[in-house]
Amino acid sequence: MLEIFRNYKEKILQLFSNDIGIDLGTANTLVYVKGRGIVINEPSIVAVNQKTGQVVAVGAQAKEMLGRTPAHITAVRPIVDGVISDFEITSEMLSYLINKAQSGHTKLLGPRVVIGVPSGITSVEVRAVRDAARAAGARDVHVIEEPLAAAIGIELPIHEPRGSMVIDIGGGTTDVGVISMGGLVKSRNVRIAGDRFNSDIVGHVRNEFKLLIGEKTAEDTKIAVASVAPGKVPFEVIIRGRDLVTGLPREMSISDQDVRNAIGHSMEELIEKVKEVLEFTPPEILADIMQRGVHLAGGGALIRGLPEFLENALGIPVIVAIDPLTAVVRGTGVVLNDMAAYQEALLRSDDELVPTE
């Protein structure tokens, strides 16, 4: 009888409320709406007027303002290394995104939300995510660790007693997760990801070519020519910045070899962190991973030559997920469609979360 009541209650709530999945990333935030798919993919950036405290722009509009604002307007990233650094600005950003996702489909009750967060974050950081989502108007908030969400999104059989491994290379962090029986067996959250590669490119161009470029230029360069192994055809891109010798504007051509030199050390460091996770993985699960391979997700999976580079370093097949950028948010969508099946994968509000190494 109680089960029947719960089913009716769930159906009634669905009539008056939206279900929304959010990949709350350092670089980009993606939003999935049940029944409609992924409706938003915007940078996690907010422009704020320091004089009035008002939010000027969110997402793509705010990103265009990076490095181009007057003194009283600041473009900030409220998510640093995958966790909330500015609670109020994050609430404003989530409120904007949730309202935009519901535009034209607003219902009486606030939405039920599933949010992906990095593995191993503390209970305080999880509580901050929940509180920010509730402050943005969410009725019910569930939190899931990103390696699990990515595994669900790329349709790995996480409930089976067989091991799977996911490496989610995002903007602020890389999540390495070993999964079996619906949970994380081993995981590690590493602060070597897209933003670190951008900083490497800025530093390399400054030191080698005496040219100062901005973060946005470094990111565009990374997307255009980044690779970890020489290709048959070299890539080049024109970059513009300030000459550190003359102080005047200058442009120059930068090649894929220059970018490889810039990010090489960080890539080697990332490989070592992945090896450390494998060292502590139970041998039976390791045997499964050797047979089924490692799955790459996140924006970093698109770096040219990375699968082959990882395969040579680890001695394990490496597979890039289909549409790796949306793997996590697609996973939150699958969870929303069948909450009961994935209840164990969701973090409880009273969990004391510590990294498993």
Side-chain angles (χ1 to χ4, degrees):
M1 194 71 181
L2 183 61
E3 189 63 33
I4 295 172
F5 172 75
R6 283 175 179 166
N7 290 337
Y8 274 114
K9 179 184 175 184
E10 191 65 30
K11 288 179 180 178
I12 291 169
L13 286 173
Q14 286 177 9
L15 291 173
F16 296 99
S17 171
N18 284 311
D19 285 348
I20 294 176
I22 299 175
D23 175 10
L24 192 61
T26 303
N28 292 283
T29 296
L30 290 83
V31 180
Y32 170 99
V33 178
K34 187 175 179 179
R36 293 167 55 202
I38 299 167
V39 296
I40 294 174
N41 181 356
E42 296 217 21
S44 303
I45 302 174
V46 180
V48 182
N49 188 322
Q50 297 296 327
K51 292 181 179 178
T52 63
Q54 296 289 321
V55 172
V56 177
V58 176
Q61 286 184 325
K63 186 174 183 178
E64 290 299 318
M65 299 180 184
L66 276 175
R68 298 188 176 100
T69 58
H72 67 283
I73 295 178
T74 308
V76 298
R77 292 179 180 270
I79 312 294
V80 177
D81 295 332
V83 296
I84 292 173
S85 64
D86 190 315
F87 181 83
E88 291 184 0
I89 298 298
T90 303
S91 296
E92 291 277 0
M93 182 180 76
L94 284 174
S95 181
Y96 165 82
L97 293 172
I98 288 172
N99 288 334
K100 184 176 179 180
Q102 295 185 109
S103 179
H105 298 80
T106 307
K107 297 190 178 182
L108 292 176
L109 299 176
R112 180 174 63 171
V113 176
V114 173
I115 301 181
V117 297
S119 63
I121 69 172
T122 66
S123 58
V124 174
E125 290 165 341
V126 170
R127 195 173 299 119
V129 171
R130 293 179 189 278
D131 291 346
R134 289 194 180 103
R139 165 179 59 88
D140 197 9
V141 183
H142 302 275
V143 179
I144 185 171
E145 290 169 296
E146 287 176 353
L148 265 177
I152 295 167
I154 60 181
E155 299 181 356
L156 294 181
I158 70 162
H159 292 300
E160 293 182 6
R162 297 179 65 194
S164 302
M165 187 172 186
V166 173
I167 302 176
D168 178 21
I169 307 174
T173 62
T174 293
D175 265 307
V176 185
V178 176
I179 301 154
S180 181
M181 292 296 293
L184 287 173
V185 178
K186 292 291 175 184
S187 67
R188 182 144 194 188
N189 183 250
V190 185
R191 294 182 179 180
I192 304 169
D195 288 348
R196 171 81 168 266
F197 301 148
N198 294 346
S199 299
D200 290 341
I201 293 169
V202 170
H204 183 78
V205 171
R206 182 181 62 241
N207 296 333
E208 294 295 320
F209 305 111
K210 300 297 182 282
L211 184 70
L212 183 64
I213 61 173
E215 181 186 340
K216 189 174 184 298
T217 299
E219 185 177 5
D220 292 342
T221 302
K222 178 186 69 181
I223 292 169
V225 301
S227 66
V228 291
K232 294 180 180 179
V233 180
F235 294 94
E236 288 191 351
V237 65
I238 300 296
I239 59 172
R240 298 175 180 85
R242 186 173 74 239
D243 192 306
L244 291 173
V245 178
T246 66
L248 298 175
R250 176 161 70 94
E251 75 173 26
M252 61 167 288
S253 176
I254 187 171
S255 69
D256 56 335
Q257 181 61 54
D258 294 320
V259 175
R260 273 196 299 280
N261 293 339
I263 67 176
H265 179 72
S266 293
M267 278 294 178
E268 292 292 345
E269 196 176 337
L270 180 59
I271 292 291
E272 290 304 313
K273 301 297 184 184
V274 174
K275 285 181 179 178
E276 288 175 15
V277 174
L278 288 171
E279 285 172 9
F280 289 95
T281 300
E284 293 296 338
I285 292 180
L286 206 55
D288 293 337
I289 294 170
M290 289 184 69
Q291 185 179 3
R292 303 172 69 181
V294 174
H295 293 79
L296 281 184
L302 299 175
I303 294 176
R304 297 174 185 87
L306 184 57
E308 296 79 9
F309 182 73
L310 282 169
E311 196 165 313
N312 290 333
L314 303 176
I316 301 172
V318 176
I319 304 108
V320 178
I322 296 173
D323 196 5
L325 285 164
T326 64
V328 172
V329 77
R330 281 186 282 129
T332 64
V334 174
V335 173
L336 282 169
N337 286 322
D338 192 354
M339 293 287 288
Y342 295 99
Q343 199 61 44
E344 289 297 317
L346 300 173
L347 298 176
R348 296 186 297 275
S349 58
D350 58 349
D351 276 346
E352 290 295 326
L353 300 169
V354 294
T356 54
E357 298 184 5

